[in-house]
Every structure is written in structure tokens, then in C-alpha cells.
Amino acid sequence: MKALARLEAILQEVMESPQRLLSPRRLHPLELAAAVTRALEGGILPVGDVVLIPNRYTIRLHPADLAEIDSIRRTLEQELTAFVARAAEERGLTLRATPLATIVAGSDARGGSITVDTAFDEGAVTRVQGDLPVTPAMLAGFTERIARPSLPPAAAPLPPAELEVLDRRGGTERRVPLNGAIVTIGRRTGNDIALLDLEVSRQHARIDCIPPRYYVTDLGSTNGTRVNGKAVAGRHPLHSGDVIEIGGARLRFRQGG
């Protein structure tokens, strides 16, 4: 089971208990997972013949948001820590030290927002590139740079991309711009694209980007995800014009001018 689908399965029972459904929650745990994923991918550090990622993830929430999940905070920290390890393995990335995710209050955090600070443990990076050692000072500068949720300065701009939500006749019902961030699709209203279709799972699929290409991933849904009529497994690359079928809904991927 993929990392994000496994995390959802573990947390589903807790988050959808009668007590939780009646509470006015602002954040869903999968939003935390999405923020951690962006920080993980933003923290990629090529060193010699390996690609490292940070092992420390500090998730900062508004105090009111933190209080709202306080009863399950330790569970979330444990599962997000395991999620980092699984996500790194899926992507073929290297952790030089045991990962750790912690959730804390951020005095300057806005309600409903998530900030993830990343860091490498001192001494976690031991390889050298040529004769040049990776020093703590180099890592400190890198950690500061990746704390901001933006593409590295050297990265080329992403070509414009969007999803067209199609109606039954194949016309475009609405357009959803893609800007490189993770987009979740499912029946639950908290998804980026919510589809009111009983054949669609609550958290059905995900669109993400490894520049310059976008991918669709089925999140362990009941009825699966298809691209151009064929079922997909794992992360599946998208090409402009591809039609993604999710339950009875269809979405067309467009990229380029």
C-alpha cells in the first residue's frame, strides 16, 4: 500500500468517529501529510551518488488548530514519522538518520495554515562529493532555503497545466489550475477537487508534480483510477489530453500553451 493511502487508512477511523465528525475541525491529517511531502521533496540534496532528504520535520500550526487535534497529536506524529520513511523509500531517496516529525504551535502561524521546517541532524550527512566535505554550514544554508515552500531558484518555470472537470456530454464543467502543488481528488468535501459521486472514494486519487511532469496516483480507492480507459497502479505519468476516470467522473489533463 502506498504511503499516503496507508496513512489515510490508519487515521480514517479516528478522524471519522462521531465525536470528530461533530467537531468544527479546520485541518485534516492528510493536509499535514501533503505539507510534509512538499517539504520532503523541497529538501532533496544530491550528494555524490545518493540523493538525501532531511530527517527532521517540525510542523507548525496555529494554537487553535493545534488544540483541535491535541487528543490525537502523538498518533499523528508517529504516523507522519513513519510516512516520511515510506515516502522516501517509494521515491528512491535516502535518509541518513531516523526521521522524526513533531507538531508544535507557531506563534506567528495563521489559522488553517501549515508551515513545515526541515533540518538534517548534525553528522547525519557523512558522504563527500569529490574532495569537498558537506559541512554543517552548508546544511544550515540549505535548510533555511528549503523552509520556504517554493521551487529551488535554478528550477525552470513549470508549463501551465490544469484539470478540466468534464460533464456527461464531454464538455468542460470547470477548470482547476495546477501549480505544482499536490491536488487531492475524492468524495470528501475537504479535497481540492470534491466529486459528489458514490463510486468515488473519500480520498480517491492525487495529482502531484516532479518538474516538469505531472503524475496521478490512486490512493487505494475502492473502484480504482483509470487513464484513457486503462487502470493505473502506483504513480502514473500524465500527458496533455489524457482523460482521468474516477468513479463516474472524468477529468482531462492539459499542459502547455
Side-chain angles (χ1 to χ4, degrees):
M1 184 182 292
K2 295 298 181 179
L4 191 58
R6 177 180 171 85
L7 182 64
E8 180 190 22
I10 291 171
L11 298 175
Q12 180 174 311
E13 183 176 351
V14 174
M15 290 304 298
E16 298 195 358
S17 64
Q19 296 89 338
R20 298 293 298 178
L21 289 174
L22 291 173
S23 68
R25 64 174 183 255
R26 294 180 180 177
L27 295 174
H28 190 279
L30 291 176
E31 295 178 73
L32 304 182
V36 168
T37 300
R38 290 192 292 270
L40 180 153
E41 293 178 342
I44 289 174
L45 175 62
V47 180
D49 58 352
V50 298
V51 180
L52 304 179
I53 59 169
N55 65 297
R56 297 284 181 173
Y57 296 79
T58 303
I59 303 157
R60 302 187 187 280
L61 306 178
H62 187 276
D65 293 330
L66 181 63
E68 200 276 325
I69 64 168
D70 190 62
S71 62
I72 58 170
R73 179 160 62 105
R74 296 305 180 194
T75 298
L76 290 176
E77 289 176 334
Q78 292 170 5
E79 295 305 329
L80 288 169
T81 294
F83 169 76
V84 168
R86 291 191 297 267
E89 182 178 4
E90 286 178 10
R91 291 162 171 76
L93 304 173
T94 300
L95 283 161
R96 283 293 182 191
T98 303
L100 178 64
T102 55
I103 304 174
V104 302
S107 58
D108 58 346
R110 293 179 293 107
S113 69
I114 304 170
T115 301
V116 181
D117 297 327
T118 60
F120 293 86
D121 273 344
E122 186 174 354
V125 181
T126 57
R127 297 184 65 87
V128 297
Q129 187 167 4
D131 295 325
L132 178 65
V134 180
T135 66
M138 292 167 62
L139 293 180
F142 187 81
T143 300
E144 181 181 356
R145 177 174 64 80
I146 66 174
R148 297 189 296 272
S150 60
L151 292 173
L158 281 172
E162 65 180 10
L163 286 176
E164 299 173 346
V165 181
L166 305 179
D167 59 27
R168 293 183 179 181
R169 296 182 179 181
T172 301
E173 185 176 283
R174 58 191 170 106
R175 302 175 189 273
V176 180
L178 302 174
N179 58 7
I182 293 173
V183 173
T184 58
I185 306 170
R187 195 173 73 247
R188 182 184 287 123
T189 56
N191 286 289
D192 299 299
I193 300 178
L195 301 172
L196 300 179
D197 184 330
L198 293 179
E199 296 182 21
V200 175
S201 296
R202 283 166 290 196
Q203 191 87 6
H204 196 111
R206 179 183 78 233
I207 305 292
D208 60 9
C209 179
I210 299 178
R213 175 163 288 181
Y214 284 85
Y215 298 81
V216 61
T217 303
D218 184 82
L219 300 178
S221 66
T222 300
N223 295 314
T225 300
R226 297 174 298 281
V227 174
N228 300 329
K230 296 183 179 180
V232 300
R235 176 183 278 141
H236 183 85
L238 292 171
H239 302 86
S240 188
D242 282 352
V243 175
I244 305 167
E245 299 172 60
I246 295 177
R250 295 188 303 156
L251 304 94
R252 183 185 292 121
F253 173 73
R254 295 288 194 191
Q255 186 174 21

